[in-house]
Amino acid sequence: MSGFVDVHCHLAAQDFQTDIDEVIEQSKKAGILALVAVAENAGEFERLIELSEKYSGFVLPCLGVHPVQGNPPQEQHGASLEDLQDALPLIQKYKERLLGIGEVGLDFTPRFASTEIQKNEQKNVFIKQIEIAKQLDLPLNVHSRSAGRPTINLLKEQGAQKVLLHAFDGKPSVAMEGVKAGFFFSIPPSIIRSEQKQKLVKQLPLESICLETDSPALGPVKQIRNEPKNISISCQYIAQIKGLSVENVMEVTTQNAIKLFPKLQKCIRL
């Protein structure tokens, strides 16, 4: 099998409004077999479903409420149960089309979680979405910024089984607790400029690693729009760190993505 799976990208983002067809075409030319597209709020759900219909079998949607809500940035706040209200009926409406629930999780950067009340509100939103994933038997596509240990602990407490921790920013020792629980970790192209991600990949077994871009964020160059076609940068750097061939890393990470998201198997026609 030859090809990549980008397990976490934001195709409904404003950055892709004008040239999404070209972005998709470039993704295919770069050897990508499937794009797992995540939502941040209910306002993006219909757009993602439209994209998944237009690029059927290639763009695969995850719907969920991100732990940080609001736009523009100066109006952002930690997610509340109110933010989840509009999302729940739509998740139920589209449940048969979903690859997973996401992007969900915890963001404990001081601006969004300076008090226990704010942290607990985020946890409540996260717990409800873990419950939905369990009910629908869908994997979770998880954000955990400045909250690695609390996120992993909560996932374990709630009995989450199929979990992807995207762009994990915690310590390798904390990540290994997730590995023991059977969770997967996805690595973006920003690894080439992130000492933390490099240390993480050194510790993680390849059998627990997937590839992502987090497009349009976390690209190889800061402040430059990232695209799914940059997935090979993650693959090459992981291969370099682990002393493996690019082909080996590509094959194992794609198989890992299929283990995590079983519905992928039909889509990429192995």
Side-chain angles (χ1 to χ4, degrees):
M1 177 181 52
S2 180
F4 305 104
V5 175
D6 184 346
V7 296
H8 187 103
C9 58
H10 294 264
L11 299 182
Q14 196 65 36
D15 304 58
F16 294 130
Q17 285 295 314
T18 59
D19 65 344
I20 188 65
D21 291 335
E22 186 181 339
V23 168
I24 296 293
E25 190 59 35
Q26 290 295 321
S27 301
K28 291 178 178 177
K29 285 180 180 175
I32 294 177
L33 302 169
L35 298 173
V36 180
V38 297
E40 294 195 355
N41 53 63
E44 294 185 343
F45 288 8
E46 298 289 355
R47 173 65 173 160
L48 271 190
I49 295 299
E50 285 172 14
L51 290 172
S52 71
E53 289 172 350
K54 184 174 183 180
Y55 307 107
S56 179
F58 187 72
V59 172
L60 306 161
C62 297
L63 301 185
V65 173
H66 191 284
V68 175
Q69 293 292 298
N71 202 32
Q74 58 267 29
E75 294 179 12
Q76 288 182 332
H77 60 273
S80 67
L81 291 172
E82 264 183 20
D83 296 311
L84 190 58
Q85 283 175 357
D86 293 338
L88 295 178
L90 289 170
I91 290 172
Q92 288 297 330
K93 178 181 177 181
Y94 294 119
K95 62 186 178 184
E96 299 301 328
R97 306 190 203 182
L98 300 186
L99 191 73
I101 300 297
E103 177 175 355
V104 301
L106 300 175
D107 193 312
F108 285 176
T109 47
R111 185 178 164 203
F112 306 119
S114 58
T115 68
E116 285 304 311
I117 291 172
Q118 289 172 317
K119 288 178 181 178
N120 287 333
E121 186 80 349
Q122 281 192 37
K123 285 180 180 178
N124 289 335
V125 174
F126 190 21
I127 287 168
K128 286 207 172 293
Q129 294 186 98
I130 294 171
E131 289 171 356
I132 292 164
K134 286 164 65 178
Q135 287 164 12
L136 300 179
D137 192 27
L138 289 172
L140 287 153
N141 210 317
V142 180
H143 171 106
S144 58
R145 187 159 52 198
S146 301
R149 194 181 297 277
T151 300
I152 288 173
N153 286 345
L154 191 61
L155 286 162
K156 291 197 293 188
E157 286 166 14
Q158 297 299 315
Q161 298 290 320
K162 301 172 188 172
V163 174
L164 175 76
L165 289 147
H166 108 89
F168 189 76
D169 72 352
K171 294 178 180 177
S173 58
V174 176
M176 293 309 291
E177 295 174 22
V179 170
K180 287 177 190 170
F183 302 162
F184 290 88
F185 293 78
S186 54
I187 308 299
S190 61
I191 186 175
I192 69 170
R193 55 184 174 86
S194 168
E195 189 179 342
Q196 179 268 334
K197 295 284 184 296
Q198 293 162 17
K199 288 179 178 176
L200 182 65
V201 164
K202 279 180 186 173
Q203 291 292 319
L204 289 172
L206 187 59
E207 292 70 28
S208 301
I209 295 176
C210 293
L211 304 179
E212 68 158 292
T213 60
D214 197 31
S215 305
L218 299 188
V221 181
K222 204 170 184 180
Q223 306 301 334
I224 301 292
R225 185 183 81 163
N226 190 19
E227 294 184 27
K229 68 180 182 181
N230 290 328
I231 196 87
S232 60
I233 294 170
S234 298
C235 185
Q236 288 163 5
Y237 210 90
I238 292 166
Q240 183 182 322
I241 287 173
K242 293 199 165 292
L244 300 169
S245 70
V246 170
E247 291 74 19
N248 188 5
V249 173
M250 177 172 60
E251 183 173 352
V252 174
T253 54
T254 295
Q255 291 290 357
N256 291 343
I258 293 164
K259 284 178 195 168
L260 175 63
F261 299 106
K263 288 184 181 180
L264 272 174
Q265 186 124 16
K266 291 179 184 175
C267 298
I268 60 182
R269 300 178 184 89
L270 299 183

